[in-house]
Structures are given as C-alpha cells and as structure tokens.
Amino acid sequence: MGSTIRDVASAAGVSLKTVSNVLHDHPHVRPSTRERVLQAIDDVGYRPNLSARGLRSGRTGVIGLAVPALRENYFAELADAVIRSAAQRGVSVLVEQTGGDREAELLAVAGTSRPHFIDGLLFNPISLGQSDASTLDTNIPVVLLGERIFDGPTDHVTMHNVSSARAAVEHLIGIGRRRIAVVGADPDAERAGDLSSATLRSRGYRQALENAGLSVDPQLVRPAEHWSRAAGAAATRALLDERIAFDAVFALNDTLGLGAIRTLGASGVSIPQDVAVIGFDNIEESQYSTPSMTTVDAGREQIADQAVALLLDRIGPSRSTAPPQTVKPEFRIVPRESTGFSAPD
C-alpha cells in the first residue's frame, strides 16, 4: 500500500491540515515548514490521489507544459527546470509536445486533449502568432512563453532577445571580429514583420554592427529552416564553399552553433584563431563541445521558475486578478573557448 498524507504529517512532525495546505500551495505556510513537508513527501514516497483531490477542491495539483519538441535541447532543459520548480511547490507537470504544428498548438491551448485534468498551462507556441492572441483567453489560467505573441490576455515570460543578441555580437566585435556571419536568420519573417526568436535576434545582430559602424553584408546572413546541428553545419559549409570571408559566427541558438563548430573543425579552420563562434541558450552540451562554446544565457532557470510562480498565483486560493504582466529575466554572456576564453564552468 502506498504512503498516505498521515505518513507525511508524521514524518514532518506537523498536522494533517498543514500537509494539506502545502499540497494546495496555501500562501500562509512558513517557508521552513513548507520545505520540511516537501522533504517528508519525498522521504515517504507520497503520491497524491489527483482524482480525489480534484473532486474535493476543484483542483488537480497538476499544471500543463506545451512545448514544440522535447528532442530539442532547449525545450528539454526548460521542461526539466519547470518540473523541478513545480515540485518545490508541491505541483506535478503534464508535458506535451506540439511539434510546432498550428493545429496541435490550438488543441493544446484549448485543452481538448486533456479536459479537466490540469489547473493551468504554460504554453510555448511557434506557429501561432500575434493574430492568434485571443485564443489564449481560455477557461484555465495560461502563462505564455516565447516570442510569438505579445500584449495578449495572459502573463508572459520571455527573453531580452534583441539586447542579448546585440550583446553577443558586441562580444565578438570586442575581440576584434569584423566579418560576422549570422546563422539561423529568417529574412522572409523579418520582411513580413513577423515576431519570432530569429527576427528579434537578427535585429540585435544588425544593431550591434550598425552601432560599431560596420555594414551588414547580406552574404553573411544565413537562413536555416530548422535550428538544428545539421542546419548549422550546412550553413557554415555553404559559407566555406562560397569562399566568403568571415572571422566569426553568431548562431541564433546553441544547436546551430554546435553544427558550425563541427564543420569548421572538420574543414581545418582553427577556432577561435580563424573563426570565433558564439551561440545562444546555454544548453548543457555547449559546455562540453570541443572547443567549449561561448553562448548567451538568457535566464532559462529564471524563466521556468517565474512562469510557474505566475501560473500558481493565478490558480491559488488568492487567484490574482492583477492585469497581465510581461517578465524578462536578466541575461549574461558565458565566455568559453570558442571566443578565446577559458571555460568558467
């Protein structure tokens, strides 16, 4: 027989009511008490009966997380951070992937694939856009992640995409690079004024060059249909094959950068002596590439934690009615070997 709430109370030395308050994220529980109860839950292996909880309270203690693809390092690590943050608050996470498909994203936000099973949703779309903002007005709280929709009816946790990309290129300029290629751009989206990570980070790239008095060479702007290692490798191979002079690569995410590093190394190009490389996202793999890759840490851990906190604030007993807010954690450049620094990790 599994552990019960009574076992948790006994292990933590608290009342059944206190354990219940922790499980339901009651705001008036001392942090030290909450931590003791959460530790006891782990120690005795207690797993709440979500169906019974839902019948009694109208809440399941489960939140949803909908992301494009868990095979992509960034979203896998984001999911891990969300699960850990939720667990610290006594909440479980149901993760689903949409594949970046528009219909799947609409189904995810509508909740038709898991009716009445979650109390709220963290949602990261890539196919829905600004014109779809009204779809976020659902019967459960939603916190938006990513850059596709702004000024919607929900709380929004995103990144300083433009300024962090500008800082990444300024880092390259600061070490003397002047012919900086950008890999992962989406010129069609930029021309259409479409908001996306590619558009916003490309904007930061252009701003950094212009601020330094450097012209934007269209030959150095390299699109990529998918932000993958293969796409980064192919874009870098094209630069080499076309004999276009470049002394740095700004990859719009780390997986593109890993592909670029692989191709440069296989082609006998010395990194960073000949070509410096900087990525974006600070996924764990970037620390262990050869050479280790300089990257932008856009605050993934903070994004996960603040998104969970905002969602639970909308779900909890107090049910915040404050106007929707947009939160952008601070970013930092993580200098490593691919731009000539010893890895700080």
Side-chain angles (χ1 to χ4, degrees), residues 99-313:
D101 176 74
R102 177 177 173 80
E103 291 304 316
E105 290 182 351
L106 288 171
L107 290 174
V109 75
T112 53
S113 61
R114 24 120 183 100
H116 314 301
F117 195 71
I118 62 172
D119 298 323
L121 176 68
L122 304 178
F123 180 48
N124 193 317
I126 60 171
S127 291
L128 299 185
Q130 194 65 41
S131 62
D132 300 299
S134 61
T135 63
L136 302 178
D137 192 5
T138 68
N139 58 358
I140 62 169
V142 174
V143 172
L144 182 68
L145 304 172
E147 297 77 38
R148 295 293 299 163
I149 302 173
F150 287 87
D151 301 319
T154 68
D155 293 320
H156 186 185
V157 184
T158 184
M159 303 175 179
H160 289 281
N161 274 289
V162 177
S163 54
S164 58
R166 185 171 63 240
V169 178
E170 288 171 347
H171 174 81
L172 295 172
I173 294 170
I175 61 171
R177 307 307 160 109
R178 295 297 180 267
R179 295 280 297 169
I180 302 170
V182 57
V183 171
D186 188 347
D188 292 338
E190 288 185 65
R191 283 190 290 270
D194 190 24
L195 293 177
S196 66
S197 298
T199 300
L200 296 172
R201 293 175 195 176
S202 294
R203 187 181 301 171
Y205 164 80
R206 295 175 187 277
Q207 287 180 1
L209 294 180
E210 291 166 1
N211 292 344
L214 300 173
S215 60
V216 177
D217 184 346
Q219 293 187 103
L220 295 176
V221 178
R222 294 287 159 158
E225 184 177 357
H226 302 290
W227 281 9
S228 64
R229 293 166 185 78
T236 307
R237 166 53 56 196
L239 283 167
L240 294 171
D241 289 347
E242 294 169 25
R243 299 186 181 279
I244 294 170
F246 66 105
D247 56 13
V249 170
F250 171 37
L252 296 188
N253 82 343
D254 280 350
T255 51
L256 289 165
L258 292 169
I261 285 176
R262 170 66 181 173
T263 292
L264 291 169
S267 302
V269 177
S270 179
I271 306 172
Q273 288 80 4
D274 299 327
V275 175
V277 179
I278 188 168
F280 196 110
D281 283 336
N282 195 26
I283 62 173
E284 184 177 13
E285 191 178 351
S286 65
Q287 179 181 343
Y288 297 100
S289 61
T290 304
S292 60
M293 185 167 60
T294 297
T295 184
V296 177
D297 184 337
R300 181 181 56 252
E301 294 287 330
Q302 292 78 14
I303 286 171
D305 193 63
Q306 292 184 25
V308 170
L310 283 170
L311 188 61
L312 295 183
D313 193 38

Side-chain angles (χ1 to χ4, degrees), residues 5-122:
I5 189 173
R6 197 175 297 278
D7 297 323
V8 175
S10 176
V14 299
S15 67
L16 293 175
K17 177 64 174 175
T18 297
V19 176
S20 178
N21 286 343
V22 171
L23 289 173
H24 290 83
D25 201 31
H26 197 283
H28 303 302
V29 179
R30 287 197 301 268
S32 59
T33 302
R34 186 184 303 276
E35 184 62 33
R36 195 161 74 250
V37 171
L38 292 176
Q39 184 61 53
I41 288 172
D42 286 342
D43 291 344
V44 305
Y46 174 67
R47 294 295 179 268
N49 185 325
L50 299 178
S51 299
R53 177 193 290 183
L55 288 172
R56 290 193 300 268
S57 68
R59 293 173 55 205
T60 65
V62 177
I63 61 174
L65 170 65
V67 296
L70 289 170
R71 66 177 294 174
E72 295 184 19
N73 295 62
Y74 175 79
F75 291 115
E77 293 182 22
L78 175 67
D80 174 74
V82 166
I83 291 168
R84 286 186 282 107
S85 178
Q88 291 174 356
R89 296 169 167 89
V91 176
S92 300
V93 181
L94 174 66
V95 182
E96 60 181 304
Q97 57 181 2
T98 63
D101 176 74
R102 177 177 173 80
E103 291 304 316
E105 290 182 351
L106 288 171
L107 290 174
V109 75
T112 53
S113 61
R114 24 120 183 100
H116 314 301
F117 195 71
I118 62 172
D119 298 323
L121 176 68
L122 304 178

